[in-house]
């Protein structure tokens, strides 16, 4: 429906703009090493165990999200947002999409 499609487009724009702003902020005068040290200094593993684990995995250089075309952070957010929209459409649409071959 028109209102829902407009809302989805608005939120997708917010995801892209927000990620772009964060990327610009992170690309500022600080280096990645500086940012990693700053995060390590403020992350309390007891209070934020999941965030600490994510930070440690990234610092260790493990496998990451490697899409084609877009920066990884943006592509991941856009892909997850669109996954959610697709799931919502599938649940609420009276017409079921034809599965891809």
């Amino acid at each position: 429906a028109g209102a829902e499609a407009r809302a989805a487009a608005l939120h997708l724009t917010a995801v892209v703009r927000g990620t772009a702003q964060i990327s610009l902020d992170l690309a500022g005068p600080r280096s990645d090493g500086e940012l990693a040290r700053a995060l390590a200094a403020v992350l309390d593993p007891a209070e934020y165990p999941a965030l600490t684990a994510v930070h440690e995995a990234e610092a260790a250089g493990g496998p990451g999200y490697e899409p084609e075309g877009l920066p990884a952070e943006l592509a991941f957010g856009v892909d997850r947002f669109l996954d959610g929209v697709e799931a919502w459409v599938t649940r609420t649409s009276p017409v079921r999409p034809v599965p891809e071959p």
Side-chain angles (χ1 to χ4, degrees):
E4 288 88 1
R6 259 191 319 280
L10 175 66
H11 287 283
L12 177 58
T13 300
V15 167
V16 172
R17 290 185 75 180
T19 303
Q21 184 61 54
I22 291 167
S23 295
L24 287 172
D25 291 346
L26 291 176
R30 293 187 189 173
S31 70
D32 285 343
E34 250 184 281
L35 181 59
R37 284 189 296 281
L39 281 173
V42 297
L43 284 178
D44 178 0
E47 193 169 349
Y48 303 104
L51 185 56
T52 301
V54 167
H55 172 67
E56 288 172 354
E58 186 174 16
Y65 189 70
E66 302 274 343
E68 291 184 30
L70 293 174
E73 295 85 0
L74 179 57
F76 181 83
V78 168
D79 287 348
R80 299 302 68 79
F81 176 82
L82 293 176
D83 288 346
V85 170
E86 180 180 36
W88 178 80
V89 168
T90 299
R91 274 194 324 270
T92 61
S93 177
V95 177
R96 296 291 177 223
V98 177
E100 293 182 29

